[in-house]
């Protein structure tokens, strides 16, 4: 095996054009880790935040929070996985997915049943998040009403479907443009509206907001008594929005946060269980993932499309 590989790096923080295809050293797995020959790497808004410098990472940095591929090597103490085995994995704790080889905790790896590697690369981040947010954080109960912002995006496409799988009674999504309404409806939503029309959608037991800015306040206003708002992003890039604690007290509402990277770092077993649940749902056809594949060298283009808000479903980068 060669000791160098191709990887997309962030040599300095900045716009999409700072991304560079470089030759770097092949990483080796430590105890409790595996290395993976990457087939595809998911492209996510999280990597845009790394590139912008919103997340403080050492430079040069190889981004990439999720991959599919085959096990290359096992670190000390790893059991239940085998060299050559096809897997999907979260690489979100230390990054590194935009490369030909990556290492990650064995707890964040899911063996693949009959799923193609291209589709599998789109599962670890968004599909896992959907199960954790709705089942563990929001504690969605059968029959409850769910509102999801950015319903046509990677995470939104999974949240609507998982809400259905968990027995939600009414599932409504919001989108930023009329062109995305039909796409979002295909992901299990009863109704899809433009984001600035959310005031007319009624009350909800669970609202998931990854947009931030004005959507944060609008989300709180849509909560029914005993309703739960889950904050899981700030794609708008707006200043933080304060939510008064006394208002929560008076109105019987709850606000929670969810960050997949932070949870993966401290509770990889919990995240790994949700990852395997997500992979099984895609394998049995109850969860659909729409994927568009680009070469690894086109990471800059993928980032531009993600930042423009023009994407639907999921972009993945072909590493091999």
């Amino acid at each position: 095996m060669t000791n160098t590989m191709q990887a997309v790096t962030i040599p300095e923080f900045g716009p999409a054009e700072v991304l560079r295809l470089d030759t770097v050293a092949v990483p080796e797995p430590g105890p409790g880790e595996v290395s993976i020959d990457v087939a595809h790497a998911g492209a996510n808004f999280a990597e845009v935040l790394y590139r912008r410098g919103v997340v403080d990472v050492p430079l040069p940095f190889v981004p990439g929070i999720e991959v599919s591929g085959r096990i290359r090597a096992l670190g000390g103490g790893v059991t239940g996985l085998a060299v050559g085995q096809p897997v999907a994995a979260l690489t979100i704790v230390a990054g590194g997915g935009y490369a030909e080889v990556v290492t990650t905790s064995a707890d964040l790896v899911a063996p693949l049943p009959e799923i193609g590697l291209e589709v599998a690369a789109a599962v670890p981040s968004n599909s896992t998040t959907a199960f954790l947010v709705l089942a563990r954080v929001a504690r969605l109960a059968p029959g409850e009403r769910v509102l999801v912002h950015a319903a046509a995006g990677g995470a939104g496409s999974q949240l609507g479907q998982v809400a259905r799988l968990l027995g939600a009674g009414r599932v409504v999504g919001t989108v930023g443009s009329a062109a995305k309404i039909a796409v979002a409806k295909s992901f299990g939503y009863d109704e899809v509206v433009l984001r600035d029309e959310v005031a007319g959608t009624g009350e909800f037991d669970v609202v998931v907001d990854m947009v931030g800015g004005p959507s944060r306040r609008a989300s709180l206003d849509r909560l029914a008594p005993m309703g739960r708002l889950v904050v899981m992003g700030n794609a708008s890039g707006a200043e933080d929005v304060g939510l008064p604690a006394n208002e929560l007290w008076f109105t019987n509402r709850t606000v929670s946060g969810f960050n997949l990277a932070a949870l993966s770092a401290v509770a990889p077993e919990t995240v790994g269980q949700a990852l395997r649940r997500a992979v099984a749902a895609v394998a049995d056809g109850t969860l659909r993932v729409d994927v568009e594949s680009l070469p690894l060298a086109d990471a800059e283009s993928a980032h531009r499309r993600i930042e423009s808000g023009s994407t639907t479903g999921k972009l993945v980068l072909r590493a091999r």
Side-chain angles (χ1 to χ4, degrees):
M1 294 183 181
T2 178
N3 59 1
T4 61
M5 65 176 182
Q6 293 291 293
V8 172
T9 67
I10 302 171
E12 59 182 309
F13 298 126
E17 56 261 32
V18 303
L19 294 174
R20 180 184 303 163
L21 188 63
D22 283 330
T23 300
V24 302
V26 172
E28 296 295 333
E33 295 183 336
V34 301
S35 62
I36 298 169
D37 284 319
V38 178
H40 295 83
N44 301 275
F45 191 74
E47 290 117 17
V48 172
L49 297 180
Y50 292 137
R51 196 205 69 227
R52 291 177 179 172
V54 175
V55 181
D56 187 20
V57 295
L59 299 179
F61 182 73
V62 179
I65 68 171
E66 61 182 340
V67 302
S68 66
R70 295 182 181 275
I71 298 289
R72 178 184 179 93
L74 305 177
V78 174
T79 60
L81 297 169
V83 171
Q85 185 175 21
V87 295
L90 277 164
T91 53
I92 195 168
V93 176
Y98 286 16
E100 293 179 318
V101 181
V102 68
T103 61
T104 192
S105 167
D107 289 328
L108 297 174
V109 174
L112 291 180
E114 297 302 315
I115 304 177
L117 291 173
E118 182 176 276
V119 169
V123 175
S125 174
N126 293 329
S127 307
T128 302
T129 289
F131 278 107
L132 288 168
V133 163
L134 293 173
R136 296 295 297 271
V137 181
R139 293 181 171 86
L140 179 66
E144 287 192 315
R145 301 157 294 179
V146 178
L147 173 68
V148 177
H149 291 292
S157 71
Q158 302 303 286
L159 283 159
Q161 295 181 80
V162 171
R164 281 277 176 244
L165 291 177
L166 297 177
R170 179 180 181 228
V171 186
V172 177
T174 77
V175 292
S177 67
K180 294 184 177 181
I181 290 177
V183 173
K185 281 186 176 179
S186 71
F187 289 117
Y189 291 95
D190 295 305
E191 181 183 356
V192 178
V193 301
L194 294 177
R195 201 164 296 132
D196 57 8
E197 297 174 354
V198 70
T201 55
E203 288 188 330
F204 295 89
D205 304 292
V206 173
V207 180
V208 183
D209 178 24
M210 67 283 282
V211 175
S215 291
R216 199 80 86 219
R217 178 69 245 187
S219 297
L220 188 64
D221 291 340
R222 299 274 56 77
L223 285 182
M226 304 301 289
R228 290 88 72 199
L229 166 61
V230 183
V231 175
M232 53 165 283
N234 187 35
S236 67
E239 292 295 320
D240 198 10
V241 176
L243 301 175
N246 279 352
E247 181 181 345
L248 302 178
W249 164 35
F250 288 133
T251 59
N252 293 290
R253 294 166 173 166
T254 299
V255 178
S256 300
F258 178 78
N259 184 294
L260 183 62
L263 188 63
S264 297
V266 300
E269 302 91 347
T270 297
V271 175
Q273 289 171 3
L275 169 59
R276 289 183 283 278
R277 184 178 185 183
V279 166
V282 174
D284 68 19
T286 57
L287 190 62
R288 186 182 111 230
V289 180
D290 283 359
V291 176
E292 179 184 348
S293 178
L294 301 172
L296 184 63
D298 285 355
E300 177 183 335
S301 173
H303 275 222
R304 291 187 187 282
R305 289 175 59 183
I306 291 170
E307 288 179 288
S308 73
S310 63
T311 58
T312 58
K314 189 64 175 281
L315 295 176
V316 301
L317 302 171
R318 295 190 303 274
R320 295 178 183 272

mmCIF file of all heavy atoms in Angstrom, residues 11-30:
data_model
loop_
_atom_site.group_PDB
_atom_site.id
_atom_site.type_symbol
_atom_site.label_atom_id
_atom_site.label_comp_id
_atom_site.label_asym_id
_atom_site.label_seq_id
_atom_site.Cartn_x
_atom_site.Cartn_y
_atom_site.Cartn_z
ATOM 1 N N PRO A 11 -6.359 24.944 3.164
ATOM 2 C CA PRO A 11 -5.061 25.489 3.592
ATOM 3 C C PRO A 11 -5.195 26.795 4.353
ATOM 4 O O PRO A 11 -4.318 27.167 5.136
ATOM 5 C CB PRO A 11 -4.321 25.694 2.265
ATOM 6 C CG PRO A 11 -5.405 25.870 1.257
ATOM 7 C CD PRO A 11 -6.566 25.049 1.719
ATOM 8 N N GLU A 12 -6.297 27.513 4.110
ATOM 9 C CA GLU A 12 -6.591 28.760 4.812
ATOM 10 C C GLU A 12 -8.101 28.947 4.805
ATOM 11 O O GLU A 12 -8.807 28.431 3.935
ATOM 12 C CB GLU A 12 -5.921 29.952 4.120
ATOM 13 C CG GLU A 12 -6.363 30.140 2.674
ATOM 14 C CD GLU A 12 -5.660 31.299 2.001
ATOM 15 O OE1 GLU A 12 -5.667 32.401 2.582
ATOM 16 O OE2 GLU A 12 -5.097 31.090 0.907
ATOM 17 N N PHE A 13 -8.633 29.662 5.782
ATOM 18 C CA PHE A 13 -10.067 29.905 5.842
ATOM 19 C C PHE A 13 -10.467 30.913 4.769
ATOM 20 O O PHE A 13 -9.730 31.856 4.467
ATOM 21 C CB PHE A 13 -10.462 30.428 7.220
ATOM 22 C CG PHE A 13 -10.181 29.463 8.338
ATOM 23 C CD1 PHE A 13 -9.421 29.846 9.435
ATOM 24 C CD2 PHE A 13 -10.672 28.170 8.298
ATOM 25 C CE1 PHE A 13 -9.171 28.962 10.462
ATOM 26 C CE2 PHE A 13 -10.424 27.270 9.316
ATOM 27 C CZ PHE A 13 -9.667 27.665 10.399
ATOM 28 N N GLY A 14 -11.653 30.704 4.188
ATOM 29 C CA GLY A 14 -12.099 31.644 3.171
ATOM 30 C C GLY A 14 -13.201 31.081 2.306
ATOM 31 O O GLY A 14 -13.879 30.110 2.685
ATOM 32 N N PRO A 15 -13.405 31.658 1.112
ATOM 33 C CA PRO A 15 -14.453 31.206 0.204
ATOM 34 C C PRO A 15 -14.119 29.859 -0.413
ATOM 35 O O PRO A 15 -13.039 29.292 -0.177
ATOM 36 C CB PRO A 15 -14.496 32.320 -0.848
ATOM 37 C CG PRO A 15 -13.125 32.907 -0.826
ATOM 38 C CD PRO A 15 -12.669 32.822 0.592
ATOM 39 N N ALA A 16 -15.039 29.361 -1.230
ATOM 40 C CA ALA A 16 -14.909 28.000 -1.761
ATOM 41 C C ALA A 16 -13.613 27.776 -2.530
ATOM 42 O O ALA A 16 -13.077 26.667 -2.539
ATOM 43 C CB ALA A 16 -16.112 27.679 -2.653
ATOM 44 N N GLU A 17 -13.090 28.827 -3.155
ATOM 45 C CA GLU A 17 -11.893 28.636 -3.981
ATOM 46 C C GLU A 17 -10.631 28.332 -3.171
ATOM 47 O O GLU A 17 -9.587 27.993 -3.760
ATOM 48 C CB GLU A 17 -11.655 29.843 -4.885
ATOM 49 C CG GLU A 17 -11.541 31.174 -4.183
ATOM 50 C CD GLU A 17 -12.849 31.947 -4.233
ATOM 51 O OE1 GLU A 17 -13.924 31.290 -4.226
ATOM 52 O OE2 GLU A 17 -12.789 33.182 -4.277
ATOM 53 N N VAL A 18 -10.672 28.412 -1.845
ATOM 54 C CA VAL A 18 -9.480 28.049 -1.077
ATOM 55 C C VAL A 18 -9.284 26.540 -1.040
ATOM 56 O O VAL A 18 -8.178 26.066 -0.749
ATOM 57 C CB VAL A 18 -9.533 28.597 0.369
ATOM 58 C CG1 VAL A 18 -9.705 30.101 0.366
ATOM 59 C CG2 VAL A 18 -10.599 27.911 1.202
ATOM 60 N N LEU A 19 -10.327 25.755 -1.319
ATOM 61 C CA LEU A 19 -10.199 24.299 -1.298
ATOM 62 C C LEU A 19 -9.169 23.844 -2.327
ATOM 63 O O LEU A 19 -9.149 24.335 -3.455
ATOM 64 C CB LEU A 19 -11.551 23.645 -1.586
ATOM 65 C CG LEU A 19 -12.649 23.852 -0.534
ATOM 66 C CD1 LEU A 19 -13.964 23.277 -1.044
ATOM 67 C CD2 LEU A 19 -12.259 23.235 0.798
ATOM 68 N N ARG A 20 -8.339 22.893 -1.935
ATOM 69 C CA ARG A 20 -7.234 22.467 -2.803
ATOM 70 C C ARG A 20 -7.113 20.948 -2.781
ATOM 71 O O ARG A 20 -7.211 20.326 -1.718
ATOM 72 C CB ARG A 20 -5.926 23.094 -2.312
ATOM 73 C CG ARG A 20 -4.697 22.728 -3.131
ATOM 74 C CD ARG A 20 -3.458 23.321 -2.503
ATOM 75 N NE ARG A 20 -3.561 24.767 -2.376
ATOM 76 C CZ ARG A 20 -2.776 25.504 -1.578
ATOM 77 N NH1 ARG A 20 -1.857 24.910 -0.832
ATOM 78 N NH2 ARG A 20 -2.917 26.810 -1.532
ATOM 79 N N LEU A 21 -6.914 20.349 -3.930
ATOM 80 C CA LEU A 21 -6.652 18.914 -4.016
ATOM 81 C C LEU A 21 -5.158 18.701 -3.828
ATOM 82 O O LEU A 21 -4.342 19.147 -4.642
ATOM 83 C CB LEU A 21 -7.121 18.361 -5.361
ATOM 84 C CG LEU A 21 -7.090 16.843 -5.509
ATOM 85 C CD1 LEU A 21 -8.045 16.173 -4.522
ATOM 86 C CD2 LEU A 21 -7.456 16.427 -6.939
ATOM 87 N N ASP A 22 -4.771 18.029 -2.748
ATOM 88 C CA ASP A 22 -3.367 17.877 -2.376
ATOM 89 C C ASP A 22 -3.000 16.406 -2.219
ATOM 90 O O ASP A 22 -3.876 15.534 -2.118
ATOM 91 C CB ASP A 22 -3.077 18.572 -1.042
ATOM 92 C CG ASP A 22 -2.971 20.079 -1.171
ATOM 93 O OD1 ASP A 22 -2.570 20.551 -2.245
ATOM 94 O OD2 ASP A 22 -3.301 20.782 -0.192
ATOM 95 N N THR A 23 -1.705 16.146 -2.166
ATOM 96 C CA THR A 23 -1.183 14.835 -1.786
ATOM 97 C C THR A 23 -0.765 14.908 -0.330
ATOM 98 O O THR A 23 0.026 15.772 0.062
ATOM 99 C CB THR A 23 0.020 14.453 -2.663
ATOM 100 O OG1 THR A 23 -0.394 14.403 -4.038
ATOM 101 C CG2 THR A 23 0.572 13.093 -2.256
ATOM 102 N N VAL A 24 -1.341 14.010 0.479
ATOM 103 C CA VAL A 24 -1.064 14.009 1.918
ATOM 104 C C VAL A 24 -0.760 12.593 2.368
ATOM 105 O O VAL A 24 -0.934 11.628 1.618
ATOM 106 C CB VAL A 24 -2.270 14.577 2.718
ATOM 107 C CG1 VAL A 24 -2.600 15.992 2.270
ATOM 108 C CG2 VAL A 24 -3.488 13.670 2.571
ATOM 109 N N ALA A 25 -0.320 12.456 3.607
ATOM 110 C CA ALA A 25 0.012 11.139 4.150
ATOM 111 C C ALA A 25 -1.256 10.345 4.438
ATOM 112 O O ALA A 25 -2.282 10.899 4.844
ATOM 113 C CB ALA A 25 0.829 11.294 5.424
ATOM 114 N N VAL A 26 -1.183 9.042 4.234
ATOM 115 C CA VAL A 26 -2.292 8.148 4.559
ATOM 116 C C VAL A 26 -2.360 7.976 6.079
ATOM 117 O O VAL A 26 -1.347 7.637 6.708
ATOM 118 C CB VAL A 26 -2.115 6.774 3.887
ATOM 119 C CG1 VAL A 26 -3.164 5.785 4.378
ATOM 120 C CG2 VAL A 26 -2.192 6.914 2.373
ATOM 121 N N PRO A 27 -3.523 8.204 6.701
ATOM 122 C CA PRO A 27 -3.627 8.043 8.153
ATOM 123 C C PRO A 27 -3.714 6.573 8.551
ATOM 124 O O PRO A 27 -4.208 5.746 7.795
ATOM 125 C CB PRO A 27 -4.932 8.778 8.485
ATOM 126 C CG PRO A 27 -5.772 8.615 7.249
ATOM 127 C CD PRO A 27 -4.801 8.646 6.091
ATOM 128 N N GLU A 28 -3.243 6.269 9.744
ATOM 129 C CA GLU A 28 -3.295 4.919 10.287
ATOM 130 C C GLU A 28 -4.248 4.889 11.482
ATOM 131 O O GLU A 28 -4.278 5.829 12.283
ATOM 132 C CB GLU A 28 -1.908 4.449 10.720
ATOM 133 C CG GLU A 28 -0.905 4.328 9.584
ATOM 134 C CD GLU A 28 -1.282 3.249 8.595
ATOM 135 O OE1 GLU A 28 -1.974 2.283 8.994
ATOM 136 O OE2 GLU A 28 -0.880 3.362 7.426
ATOM 137 N N PRO A 29 -5.021 3.824 11.642
ATOM 138 C CA PRO A 29 -5.979 3.768 12.759
ATOM 139 C C PRO A 29 -5.283 3.547 14.097
ATOM 140 O O PRO A 29 -4.332 2.768 14.202
ATOM 141 C CB PRO A 29 -6.863 2.576 12.391
ATOM 142 C CG PRO A 29 -5.977 1.687 11.576
ATOM 143 C CD PRO A 29 -5.082 2.621 10.793
ATOM 144 N N GLY A 30 -5.772 4.251 15.122
ATOM 145 C CA GLY A 30 -5.297 4.028 16.476
ATOM 146 C C GLY A 30 -6.166 3.000 17.166
ATOM 147 O O GLY A 30 -7.063 2.395 16.557
#
